[in-house]
Amino acid sequence: MDETPQVVLNPEREGSLRTLGMISYLLHAVVAVGAVVPGFQPSILLLVVAFFIDLFKKDEARGTWQESHFNWRIRSVLWAFGLYIITSPLYLLLVFPGMVAWFIVSLWFLYRVARGWLALNDRRAMPV
């Protein structure tokens, strides 16, 4: 099996990227929990901030196991956004089925955040 060699960062740089990843996952988690808990609606701005942190910092992790986490978070946000857009007509026309659809998307997003955060904590890469 041919594996791409992983870039090894100095411990300080790796720790810095890991801390940045933890902060990003925290911001994602606050928004994800807010999406499934009635009455708790944090600003979507938190998610936008986390998304742009991931976009601008992912090159610093290129070739390392942490690159997969940047990609995981970016893909999670883009997929969730797309799913919310696709289901928004349902939400606007038929409120209850739309709420159910958005709840399912929100649970899926929360699952992705939790799975990634646990893997980052264990210093494991995310699947491609």
Side-chain angles (χ1 to χ4, degrees):
M1 180 176 210
D2 183 33
E3 288 191 26
T4 307
Q6 291 288 310
V7 173
V8 178
L9 297 172
N10 68 46
E12 181 180 309
R13 187 68 201 133
E14 182 175 337
S16 175
L17 283 172
R18 192 164 169 265
T19 299
L20 190 65
M22 291 288 188
I23 291 168
S24 182
Y25 276 123
L26 174 64
L27 294 173
H28 282 79
V30 168
V31 173
V33 168
V36 295
V37 174
F40 177 65
Q41 297 299 318
S43 173
I44 196 72
L45 182 62
L46 295 176
L47 190 60
V48 172
V49 168
F51 180 74
F52 281 109
I53 287 171
D54 290 335
L55 276 179
F56 293 129
K57 292 293 192 173
K58 94 175 192 174
D59 285 343
E60 293 181 29
R62 187 164 319 281
T64 70
W65 64 272
Q66 291 192 40
E67 180 181 15
S68 68
H69 284 274
F70 284 90
N71 291 330
W72 179 264
R73 290 187 301 265
I74 290 167
R75 280 193 321 265
S76 296
V77 169
L78 292 175
W79 272 103
F81 177 73
L83 292 170
Y84 284 128
I85 293 296
I86 290 169
T87 58
S88 63
L90 183 62
Y91 190 82
L92 295 172
L93 298 174
L94 304 167
V95 175
F96 182 73
M99 289 174 63
V100 171
W102 280 26
F103 184 77
I104 291 168
V105 172
S106 298
L107 281 179
W108 170 84
F109 183 63
L110 183 59
Y111 162 77
R112 297 260 310 179
V113 170
R115 181 175 172 198
W117 202 348
L118 290 171
L120 181 68
N121 191 49
D122 292 341
R123 292 178 167 80
R124 289 183 288 117
M126 294 308 295
V128 177

